[in-house]
Amino acid sequence: HDAGLKDEALSFERLTGALGGERPRDLCNQSVLYGNVAFPQKSREGIRDDRIADEKIILDPGVGFGKTYENNLEIINCLEELNMFGYPLLLGCSRKSVIGLTLDLPVTERVEGTLVTTMFGVQKGCMFVRVHDVKENVRTIKMCEAILNSGK
């Protein structure tokens, strides 16, 4: 948790508007991710906002906001593609409906599903996760990082 982190996370929705429930055309390379980014510019320039310093920009793909169940799963699965922009990634899946729909669980019982999304986020390059159950997620991140860094 970074106490200095403010409302400077730059959501893709803020850049180009919500997807509006469209179905992704293909997985990953022609995905819902690109539907939310200021394309055709596949670069930092397509995301930059002159009112916000580069070092304060964090990309949040907006899991759960105006997207279908399938869109949300695809975004989580293809997070690593967002690394091409060179900005830190934030994943906020904690207790979201995509977890509830997948596991058929109420919001109060979605810890394990959140831990899996956190693990995927770490594996795919997310520097930040927004979670409710901090202790469990910190342990998950430590274990995931130990595995990812083994043999290096």
Side-chain angles (χ1 to χ4, degrees), residues 48-69:
R48 290 197 74 242
D49 183 327
D50 291 333
R51 296 169 293 163
I52 301 173
D54 263 4
E55 63 273 6
K56 293 188 176 187
I57 294 177
I58 297 171
L59 298 183
D60 177 353
V63 170
F65 295 97
K67 296 172 189 72
T68 67
Y69 169 79

